[in-house]
Amino acid sequence: MQDILDEIAFDISGMTDRGQVADYIPELAAVDPSQFALSVALPSGEVFSAGCANQLFSIQSISKVFTLTMALGKLGDSLWHRVGREPSGDPFNSIVQLEHEHGKPRNPFINAGAIAVVDAIMMGHQPKELLAELIQFIRYLAHDNSITIDEGVALSELATGHRNSSLAHFMASFGQMEHDINCVLGAYYHQCAIAMNSEQLAKAGLFLVSQGTNAVTGKRIVSAQRARRINALMLMFGHYDGSGEFAYRVGLPGKSGVGGGILAIAPNKASIAVWSPG
Amino acid sequence: MQDILDEIAFDISGMTDRGQVADYIPELAAVDPSQFALSVALPSGEVFSAGCANQLFSIQSISKVFTLTMALGKLGDSLWHRVGREPSGDPFNSIVQLEHEHGKPRNPFINAGAIAVVDAIMMGHQPKELLAELIQFIRYLAHDNSITIDEGVALSELATGHRNSSLAHFMASFGQMEHDINCVLGAYYHQCAIAMNSEQLAKAGLFLVSQGTNAVTGKRIVSAQRARRINALMLMFGHYDGSGEFAYRVGLPGKSGVGGGILAIAPNKASIAVWSPG
Amino acid sequence: MQDILDEIAFDISGMTDRGQVADYIPELAAVDPSQFALSVALPSGEVFSAGCANQLFSIQSISKVFTLTMALGKLGDSLWHRVGREPSGDPFNSIVQLEHEHGKPRNPFINAGAIAVVDAIMMGHQPKELLAELIQFIRYLAHDNSITIDEGVALSELATGHRNSSLAHFMASFGQMEHDINCVLGAYYHQCAIAMNSEQLAKAGLFLVSQGTNAVTGKRIVSAQRARRINALMLMFGHYDGSGEFAYRVGLPGKSGVGGGILAIAPNKASIAVWSPG
Amino acid sequence: MQDILDEIAFDISGMTDRGQVADYIPELAAVDPSQFALSVALPSGEVFSAGCANQLFSIQSISKVFTLTMALGKLGDSLWHRVGREPSGDPFNSIVQLEHEHGKPRNPFINAGAIAVVDAIMMGHQPKELLAELIQFIRYLAHDNSITIDEGVALSELATGHRNSSLAHFMASFGQMEHDINCVLGAYYHQCAIAMNSEQLAKAGLFLVSQGTNAVTGKRIVSAQRARRINALMLMFGHYDGSGEFAYRVGLPGKSGVGGGILAIAPNKASIAVWSPG
């Protein structure tokens, strides 16, 4: 396994076209696009890594997997009154579908859906309380208490996120938001600004590998059915309008983030985290 | 003329179904829907009225005619880089077209277009300065210095206007807003909250009757060509997705407002203001 | 008047960029784009022309004005159950709106609407009978019995009109077509293939100049109200998604055709036909 | 296994609400909605069934799995120039997306995509030749030479399929159809009219259970990678805008047909065919 990872990292290091970093979030635009990390966490507890697996990066939309898991825990299937579970067929920030469907987002992984999930799990609490709970949950999943939020990234997004503000106000205009929009968006941007390295991320995904139980810690996180369902949702629309492409080529449930990370789950085998900011 | 107006007012007074007031703006929801006013201003200076022609009401979207006139005066045809001049075929607050056309509104009379017009004429000034100039302009048009803004209505809209906030943030996400969104929206809501009675409104429309000149005061407001063009825009999309219906039935350039007012122009003949809040 | 027209024709003759002919209808693609004709018919009976005013051309979509007039005569306002009277905000052959509105076209001038009008006035007759009636009607309007259909153009369109077939089948799938689709499309393509010169076309439009009466022949064609309404419809959406532009720049009710002709009405003044195939 | 199936069939038999048959295809509307069949084919060669597993039914859209498999065999990945592989997020017969994407269907399982697949594999042949090849292929997959096409169903669809005609003409208007539309649609309706019973259908799906090889006959049908990819496509959009729901609840690749059949694949375990016409 280590040999395979090393070979992949070596191949990548020889590539000159490393893509482009997201330039619409100032803090992310400054990240060096030539970096690369890859970690594979096994149910046995072994973690194999290659590249800069200790380098923290912004998990961005990958965090939506964790808030969705929290939301299903708090609300169960009643979450689906707030957000659908069909592919959107549109880019991550499209508003067209929202108008046709009266402010109910298609699924929890497009931005509008993820904002609705935050609103749904806030339940009258302050953003700080919600974020504390979320960080605690992710630390528990990854068995690592050092995970935190990168405040600079969160503020950077807050200042430039006109599209997300538009989506949130749009849902509010249909009476679909329960809390103050600025509070919800503040929490959402902080959630996206969670910083992890590829080892931590791979370990945090382990509960989706072994039917809802983190096989390393032995803790049950969700039921086997729920783990299977979260995997189905990741496979269906974990990559917005590139989900079909990813399912066709890779065939694994996965969730991408604009920070360059991807979490992929090979059921019963491994949790895989990749980071390539470009 | 007076007889005709009296007859219309009498017929209306016998109608029991007087429609419904807009309920999404709290201050407007409290208006008595059984009120009615009708004024006809002639180039000769005569004004005929029936009903409660001295009752102030919120002109709402009718104000877009005046800001458009101001904007054409300040920016000329370069205004059309910011906003189109085609019918939208959609309701006044639709966002679908905005996404397909990269944040450029179809025309200056849908909400997104009117907000873009405010942003375009703000030109680095404070909302208060812009509003002072606008009120001054409308007073000049109507030859009446008593016209003011109803602050209560403006604040009432500010608190509930999620859809307009969404439209403004959406345009901003395409880089289409030059000023702070809250400033632009604040100015926009105050513009909509201008209070006039039907006599004042009919008189303010006179410049569109006589080729750009207010025939009563003798002042030229806009060129004959521009007056004809503003009339064409009112005919084309003065009533959102009801414009074709209005053009087919009435055949006059007109602009409606959600406060229940309509300003209609019979070129070379008369400026007509109606108010029926239900 | 003659001097003005001659000057326009002279100016045009010096222009080197004469646009492009429609290349998707084979017979039209062969027309020389440098041709030009302009005719102005007055209620007095005078007709002024410049350019090749005796050259026949394919009136194409301008024919929709005549079928709409026939349809209003046969069906009155019940026509509006079949077709709307709002601008579409989309190109002439868009199908998106049809799906959202269950197969009812937005207005009688977009292709789907014009096909629906043909279906509505066919009333169980054969295409040939309908076409005979239509030609008779246009001859009557223009006071000219030589007007005919260019069979070659009609067949040329029939062979290539996949988009129109798609629109017709789409409406049929909503149960909105009463007759066999091939019959309706056959009639539609023949209607579009009516050949007229600019003098004939200007004369055919005279009934819209003088409140529904052809002032030259003294015959009443439609009521004054209906003439005004047809003019309103032409102003609103006579040029598809370029209607606002035309209304803003020209300010007259008009109808364009892909063959390069435009019929414009200056109410109480003149009927104007222009032809510039490029 | 047999006990489980019998129990399911017994439970179903007690249900009074058995849904509704598709009423837009006359021949299917006559099917008794209370029928039920269920078959499970294992790689070992065993087939377990319950209900009327010998009753032939119209497989309808399930046939799209077989034509897609044929098309990938003939064209390889160049098929994806003709049709996408993203979920449509719209009903099976929507035309909106086609307009926005210039006549290229989103995926091979929506009707437009399946029609494009037929056009792509026709390759200059007659519909009869293509259908003969397709039937031969399905017989080979199911190891059963008795499978045929129900001509009555095919003709029934041909007569009423305005929406499919519209989709095909629409694609043709973008130059996306290589063959005569009536030929392609004729082949498409015959493909949908293939009649199979649940045993045959379950056996025909076996190649997708065991990495592309029919484990019973020992014949390799497609590569392991291709089998996995076809499964991914079935999971992603095998049920149109209900795909997310199916993936969430069932979690298996599957393809439904309007005749009431579903083929579902449990990789490495079983091929499952269900039929419930209501």
Side-chain angles (χ1 to χ4, degrees):
Chain A
M1 174 68 84
Q2 187 62 49
D3 288 351
I4 296 172
L5 300 197
D6 288 342
E7 197 182 322
I8 294 171
F10 179 77
D11 287 353
I12 296 278
S13 70
M15 293 182 183
T16 51
D17 179 8
R18 302 295 285 273
Q20 293 190 302
V21 295
D23 57 0
Y24 62 89
I25 303 174
E27 290 270 333
L28 297 186
V31 172
D32 172 5
S34 72
Q35 296 175 90
F36 177 77
L38 170 59
S39 294
V40 177
L42 305 184
S44 65
E46 288 172 293
V47 182
F48 298 92
S49 289
C52 47
N54 295 315
Q55 173 67 45
L56 295 175
F57 59 90
S58 190
I59 66 168
Q60 294 291 320
S61 291
I62 303 171
S63 64
K64 295 170 183 174
V65 176
F66 306 126
T67 48
L68 170 66
T69 304
M70 265 181 72
L72 287 170
K74 283 169 183 273
L75 300 166
D77 274 351
S78 75
L79 174 68
W80 306 117
H81 297 138
R82 287 294 306 275
V83 60
R85 49 186 190 242
E86 290 301 330
S88 72
D90 286 311
F92 67 94
N93 56 8
S94 174
I95 207 163
V96 169
Q97 170 267 330
L98 267 190
E99 176 158 338
H100 290 314
E101 294 172 21
H102 309 295
K104 183 179 177 183
R106 271 283 169 96
N107 68 58
F109 290 160
I110 53 174
N111 285 14
I115 293 167
V117 166
V118 171
D119 185 52
I121 59 178
M122 198 170 263
M123 295 173 152
H125 295 285
Q126 290 300 309
K128 283 201 175 173
E129 296 167 326
L130 177 66
L131 290 166
E133 189 183 352
L134 174 61
I135 282 292
Q136 211 50 47
F137 179 58
I138 293 177
R139 288 173 175 175
Y140 181 75
L141 291 180
H143 201 57
D144 185 328
N145 280 323
S146 71
I147 296 166
T148 56
I149 290 170
D150 183 329
E151 194 75 20
V153 171
L155 297 177
S156 174
E157 299 195 38
L158 199 49
T160 57
H162 284 300
R163 183 63 76 99
N164 289 324
S165 296
S166 179
L167 293 166
H169 279 290
F170 199 78
M171 291 189 283
S173 75
F174 284 100
Q176 295 267 4
M177 296 291 283
E178 293 167 13
H179 301 85
D180 177 77
I181 282 171
N182 290 326
C183 288
V184 174
L185 287 175
Y188 174 69
Y189 288 128
H190 279 80
Q191 154 198 333
C192 289
I194 291 169
M196 297 172 82
N197 62 37
S198 63
E199 277 204 25
Q200 292 168 328
L201 185 57
K203 284 159 68 186
L206 273 173
F207 76 103
L208 293 171
V209 175
S210 306
Q211 285 87 38
T213 298
N214 184 324
V216 178
T217 62
K219 311 264 188 193
R220 169 159 298 283
I221 312 294
V222 296
S223 70
Q225 186 193 52
R226 182 160 291 161
R228 202 185 67 230
R229 288 179 165 186
I230 294 171
N231 282 337
L233 298 177
M234 289 169 78
L235 188 66
M236 290 295 291
F237 30 78
H239 312 274
Y240 317 114
D241 52 349
S243 297
E245 190 69 17
F246 191 87
Y248 185 79
R249 290 186 180 280
V250 179
L252 298 179
K255 183 75 204 77
S256 60
V258 76
I262 293 182
L263 173 65
I265 304 298
N268 302 317
K269 296 197 176 135
S271 167
I272 304 157
V274 198
W275 178 52
S276 170
Chain B
M1 174 68 85
Q2 187 61 49
D3 288 351
I4 296 173
L5 299 197
D6 288 342
E7 196 181 322
I8 293 172
F10 180 78
D11 287 353
I12 296 279
S13 69
M15 293 182 184
T16 50
D17 179 8
R18 302 294 286 273
Q20 294 190 302
V21 295
D23 57 0
Y24 61 89
I25 303 174
E27 290 270 333
L28 296 186
V31 172
D32 172 5
S34 72
Q35 295 176 88
F36 177 76
L38 170 59
S39 295
V40 177
L42 305 186
S44 64
E46 289 171 293
V47 182
F48 297 92
S49 289
C52 47
N54 294 316
Q55 173 68 45
L56 294 176
F57 59 89
S58 191
I59 66 167
Q60 294 291 319
S61 291
I62 304 171
S63 64
K64 296 169 183 173
V65 176
F66 306 125
T67 48
L68 170 65
T69 305
M70 263 179 75
L72 286 171
K74 283 168 184 275
L75 300 166
D77 274 351
S78 75
L79 174 68
W80 307 116
H81 297 137
R82 288 294 307 276
V83 60
R85 48 184 191 243
E86 290 301 330
S88 72
D90 286 310
F92 67 95
N93 56 7
S94 174
I95 207 162
V96 169
Q97 169 268 330
L98 266 189
E99 177 158 337
H100 289 315
E101 294 173 20
H102 309 294
K104 183 179 177 182
R106 271 283 169 95
N107 68 59
F109 290 160
I110 54 174
N111 285 14
I115 293 168
V117 166
V118 171
D119 185 52
I121 58 178
M122 198 169 264
M123 294 174 154
H125 293 286
Q126 290 300 309
K128 284 203 176 172
E129 295 167 326
L130 177 65
L131 291 166
E133 190 183 350
L134 174 61
I135 282 291
Q136 211 50 47
F137 179 57
I138 293 177
R139 288 173 175 175
Y140 181 74
L141 291 180
H143 202 58
D144 185 329
N145 280 324
S146 71
I147 297 166
T148 56
I149 290 170
D150 183 330
E151 194 74 21
V153 170
L155 295 177
S156 174
E157 299 195 39
L158 199 50
T160 58
H162 284 302
R163 184 62 75 98
N164 289 323
S165 296
S166 179
L167 293 167
H169 279 291
F170 199 79
M171 290 188 283
S173 76
F174 284 100
Q176 295 268 4
M177 296 290 284
E178 293 167 13
H179 300 85
D180 177 77
I181 282 170
N182 290 326
C183 287
V184 174
L185 288 174
Y188 173 68
Y189 289 128
H190 279 80
Q191 154 199 333
C192 289
I194 290 170
M196 295 173 82
N197 62 37
S198 64
E199 276 203 25
Q200 292 167 330
L201 185 57
K203 284 158 69 187
L206 273 174
F207 76 102
L208 293 171
V209 175
S210 307
Q211 285 87 38
T213 297
N214 183 322
V216 179
T217 62
K219 310 263 188 193
R220 171 159 296 283
I221 311 295
V222 296
S223 71
Q225 186 194 52
R226 182 160 291 161
R228 201 185 66 229
R229 288 179 165 185
I230 294 171
N231 282 337
L233 298 177
M234 290 169 77
L235 188 66
M236 290 295 290
F237 30 79
H239 312 272
Y240 317 116
D241 53 349
S243 297
E245 190 68 17
F246 190 86
Y248 185 78
R249 289 186 180 279
V250 180
L252 299 179
K255 183 73 206 77
S256 61
V258 76
I262 293 181
L263 172 64
I265 305 298
N268 302 318
K269 294 194 177 137
S271 168
I272 303 157
V274 198
W275 179 53
S276 169
Chain C
M1 173 70 82
Q2 188 61 49
D3 288 351
I4 296 172
L5 300 197
D6 287 343
E7 197 182 320
I8 293 172
F10 180 77
D11 287 354
I12 297 279
S13 70
M15 294 182 183
T16 49
D17 179 8
R18 302 295 284 274
Q20 293 189 303
V21 295
D23 57 0
Y24 62 87
I25 302 174
E27 291 270 335
L28 297 186
V31 172
D32 174 4
S34 72
Q35 297 176 88
F36 178 76
L38 171 59
S39 295
V40 177
L42 305 185
S44 64
E46 288 172 292
V47 182
F48 297 91
S49 289
C52 48
N54 294 316
Q55 173 67 46
L56 294 175
F57 59 90
S58 190
I59 66 168
Q60 294 292 319
S61 291
I62 304 170
S63 64
K64 295 169 183 174
V65 176
F66 305 124
T67 48
L68 170 66
T69 305
M70 264 181 72
L72 286 171
K74 282 168 184 275
L75 300 166
D77 273 352
S78 75
L79 174 67
W80 306 116
H81 298 136
R82 288 293 306 275
V83 60
R85 48 185 191 243
E86 289 301 330
S88 72
D90 287 311
F92 67 95
N93 56 7
S94 174
I95 206 163
V96 170
Q97 170 269 328
L98 266 189
E99 177 158 338
H100 290 314
E101 294 173 19
H102 309 294
K104 183 178 177 183
R106 271 283 168 94
N107 68 59
F109 290 159
I110 53 174
N111 284 14
I115 292 168
V117 166
V118 171
D119 185 52
I121 59 178
M122 197 169 265
M123 295 174 153
H125 293 286
Q126 290 300 309
K128 283 203 176 172
E129 296 167 326
L130 177 65
L131 290 166
E133 190 183 351
L134 174 62
I135 282 291
Q136 211 49 49
F137 179 58
I138 293 177
R139 288 174 174 175
Y140 181 74
L141 290 181
H143 201 57
D144 185 328
N145 280 324
S146 70
I147 297 166
T148 55
I149 290 170
D150 183 328
E151 194 74 21
V153 171
L155 296 177
S156 174
E157 298 194 41
L158 199 49
T160 58
H162 284 302
R163 183 63 75 98
N164 289 323
S165 295
S166 179
L167 292 167
H169 279 291
F170 199 79
M171 291 189 284
S173 76
F174 284 101
Q176 295 267 4
M177 296 291 285
E178 293 167 13
H179 300 86
D180 177 77
I181 282 171
N182 290 326
C183 288
V184 174
L185 287 175
Y188 174 67
Y189 288 129
H190 279 80
Q191 153 198 334
C192 290
I194 291 170
M196 296 173 81
N197 61 37
S198 63
E199 275 204 25
Q200 292 168 331
L201 185 56
K203 284 158 70 185
L206 273 174
F207 77 102
L208 293 171
V209 175
S210 307
Q211 284 88 37
T213 297
N214 183 323
V216 179
T217 62
K219 310 263 188 194
R220 171 160 297 283
I221 311 295
V222 296
S223 70
Q225 186 193 50
R226 181 160 294 160
R228 201 185 66 230
R229 288 179 166 184
I230 294 171
N231 282 337
L233 298 177
M234 291 169 76
L235 188 66
M236 290 296 289
F237 29 79
H239 311 273
Y240 318 114
D241 52 349
S243 297
E245 190 68 18
F246 191 86
Y248 185 78
R249 289 186 180 279
V250 180
L252 298 179
K255 182 75 205 76
S256 61
V258 76
I262 293 181
L263 173 64
I265 305 298
N268 301 317
K269 295 198 176 134
S271 167
I272 304 157
V274 197
W275 179 53
S276 169
Chain D
M1 173 68 84
Q2 187 62 49
D3 288 350
I4 296 172
L5 299 197
D6 288 342
E7 197 182 320
I8 293 172
F10 179 77
D11 287 353
I12 295 279
S13 69
M15 294 183 182
T16 50
D17 179 7
R18 302 296 285 275
Q20 293 189 303
V21 294
D23 57 0
Y24 62 89
I25 302 174
E27 291 270 334
L28 296 187
V31 172
D32 173 4
S34 71
Q35 297 176 90
F36 177 76
L38 170 59
S39 295
V40 177
L42 306 185
S44 65
E46 289 172 292
V47 181
F48 298 92
S49 290
C52 48
N54 295 315
Q55 174 66 46
L56 294 175
F57 60 89
S58 191
I59 66 168
Q60 293 291 320
S61 292
I62 303 170
S63 63
K64 296 169 182 174
V65 176
F66 306 125
T67 48
L68 171 66
T69 305
M70 265 180 72
L72 286 171
K74 284 168 183 273
L75 299 166
D77 274 351
S78 75
L79 175 68
W80 306 117
H81 297 136
R82 287 295 305 276
V83 60
R85 49 184 191 244
E86 290 300 331
S88 72
D90 286 310
F92 67 94
N93 56 8
S94 174
I95 206 163
V96 170
Q97 170 268 331
L98 266 190
E99 177 159 338
H100 289 315
E101 294 172 19
H102 310 293
K104 183 178 177 183
R106 271 284 169 95
N107 68 59
F109 290 161
I110 53 173
N111 285 15
I115 293 168
V117 166
V118 171
D119 185 52
I121 59 178
M122 197 169 264
M123 294 173 153
H125 294 286
Q126 290 300 310
K128 285 203 174 172
E129 296 167 325
L130 177 65
L131 291 166
E133 190 184 351
L134 174 61
I135 282 292
Q136 211 50 47
F137 180 59
I138 293 176
R139 288 173 175 174
Y140 181 75
L141 290 181
H143 202 56
D144 185 329
N145 280 324
S146 71
I147 297 166
T148 55
I149 290 170
D150 183 329
E151 194 75 21
V153 170
L155 295 178
S156 174
E157 298 195 39
L158 199 50
T160 58
H162 284 301
R163 183 64 75 100
N164 289 324
S165 295
S166 178
L167 292 167
H169 279 291
F170 199 78
M171 290 189 284
S173 76
F174 284 101
Q176 293 268 6
M177 296 290 283
E178 292 167 14
H179 301 85
D180 176 78
I181 282 171
N182 290 327
C183 288
V184 174
L185 287 175
Y188 174 69
Y189 288 129
H190 279 80
Q191 153 198 333
C192 289
I194 291 170
M196 296 173 82
N197 62 36
S198 63
E199 277 203 25
Q200 292 167 330
L201 185 57
K203 285 158 69 186
L206 272 174
F207 77 102
L208 294 171
V209 174
S210 307
Q211 286 86 39
T213 297
N214 184 322
V216 180
T217 62
K219 311 265 187 193
R220 169 158 300 283
I221 312 295
V222 296
S223 70
Q225 185 193 53
R226 182 160 292 161
R228 201 186 67 229
R229 288 180 165 184
I230 294 171
N231 282 338
L233 298 178
M234 290 170 77
L235 188 66
M236 290 294 291
F237 30 79
H239 311 274
Y240 317 115
D241 52 350
S243 298
E245 190 68 17
F246 191 87
Y248 185 79
R249 291 186 180 278
V250 181
L252 298 179
K255 182 75 205 77
S256 60
V258 76
I262 292 181
L263 172 65
I265 305 299
N268 301 317
K269 296 196 176 136
S271 168
I272 304 157
V274 199
W275 178 53
S276 170

